[in-house]
Amino acid sequence: MASIELVKLTKKFGSLVAVKEFDLEIKDKEFVALLGPSGCGKTTTMNMIAGIEAPSGGQILFDGRDVKAMAPNKRDVGFVFQNYAIFTHMTVEQNLAFGLRVRGVKRAESDRRVKEMAALMRLEDRLDWLTAKLSVNEMQKVAIGRSAITEPAIFLLDEPLSNLDAAFRAFMRTELKHLQHQFQQTMVYVTHDQIEAMSLADRIAVMDLGVLQQYGSPIEVYNQPCNTFVANFMGSPSMNLVPCRLSEGNGATSLDFDDAGVVVVDDDDLLRRCKGAREAGLLFGARPEDLDIAPPEYGGAGLAMTVSFVEPIGPRTIIHLSAGDRKVKVSKEKQYPIEFGAKVKVALPKGKCHLFDADSGRALGVE
Ligand code: ATP
């Protein structure tokens, strides 16, 4: 059993506040990703959970117990870093067995667990190799296996895949999921890669400048970003954020997109978001895959725009459109026949539009 609770966790380095009053609850056996750009405080948070770094304020609770006074080796925490921490003068087998030997695990049991981990990590045919002779990918597999084999209650992984090549990263994502399924550990995973966070985590904590921005399931965070930072950070291409003005008249609510035209809002969900919003300083938001391309004469809610660039990337076509300084990307499945310079309407989807305050970045009309 190992739930983790961070209460107003803070870390200062001199005048720099690296982590600010961070509240987070991680359930037993949950897989949580700390996601954010470089320097947002992810590693500092991990180091405090592991006991490597002392907090400047706040609490860290494991199963409700404050662990502040507990030494790192007493916390039952496994740690894997971006740069594989392994003994290069030892074989793969000796590396995998190391933690078990230190803990006094009997030889027969240790051999059984090493074999099991080697099979899980697909390292069976490398057991007698010196780790110095392994590829970078294999070294990181050894580092992960070496830490996981002692079955710590909490497993912390700090960008473990970021030095690996793309194909191997995809493979390792599946392996890590298997590992968690098998050992039922509470996992905290640091990454700046939103795809990795989305594909692995039960919940994602999005951080920026040491502050928690949003905490929720991948789909919640993707579909209902609480601010423009999260909207931008999740998704590739990221959410379209288009400046607009709100106007009310003749019983209708409209959004004025300047050169892209005035759109009468006929979507209850978007109307709810418009309620109480100020007139200017708004950003309309929509995911590229939620928008549609319609002919210029389309009569529904849509932006009048011109195709400025087409990216046929295989499984999808990314269509760039503009009208004056209003810019939008639309993502269509597979190959989509459209020409540079074509005049179209970008049709707005019902129930999938967002509205943000441009100054604060806050999403409007959501709790
Ligand atoms: P990255 O993905 O680049 O590792 P991160 O999100 O993990 O970034 P941290 O490494 O936690 O961010 O750093 C957060 C902030 O704290 C950064 O501004 C960093 O420069 C600063 N920082 C981290 N460790 C120290 C330290 N020991 N002394 C001074 N400043 C530090």
Side-chain angles (χ1 to χ4, degrees), residues 178-233:
H178 284 152
L179 202 68
Q180 197 216 12
H181 197 250
Q182 178 142 348
F183 293 111
Q184 301 276 298
Q185 291 153 322
T186 306
M187 283 215 187
V188 189
Y189 189 96
V190 158
T191 181
H192 61 265
D193 179 340
Q194 45 102 18
I195 300 283
E196 223 165 82
M198 294 276 294
S199 73
L200 283 170
D202 300 314
R203 282 195 286 179
I204 301 176
V206 187
M207 298 176 72
D208 186 34
L209 301 171
V211 177
L212 176 66
Q213 304 291 313
Q214 190 165 0
Y215 188 38
S217 73
I219 294 306
E220 276 163 9
V221 172
Y222 186 79
N223 284 347
Q224 295 301 336
C226 70
N227 60 28
T228 48
F229 176 83
V230 179
N232 244 322
F233 204 79

Side-chain angles (χ1 to χ4, degrees), residues 275-315:
K275 225 171 223 138
R278 60 192 176 132
E279 230 174 73
L282 297 174
L283 291 169
F284 168 86
R287 293 267 173 218
E289 68 275 18
D290 289 333
L291 295 169
D292 228 333
I293 302 280
E297 57 277 10
Y298 173 68
L303 307 178
M305 305 194 99
T306 305
V307 176
S308 55
F309 182 49
V310 181
E311 287 181 276
I313 55 170

Side-chain angles (χ1 to χ4, degrees), residues 13 16-19 36-45 53 82 158-159 190 192:
F13 295 108
L16 177 92
V17 185
V19 178
S38 182
C40 73
K42 308 181 293 292
T43 296
T44 305
T45 304
E53 199 81 74
Q82 179 174 357
D158 190 349
E159 307 249 14
V190 158
H192 61 265

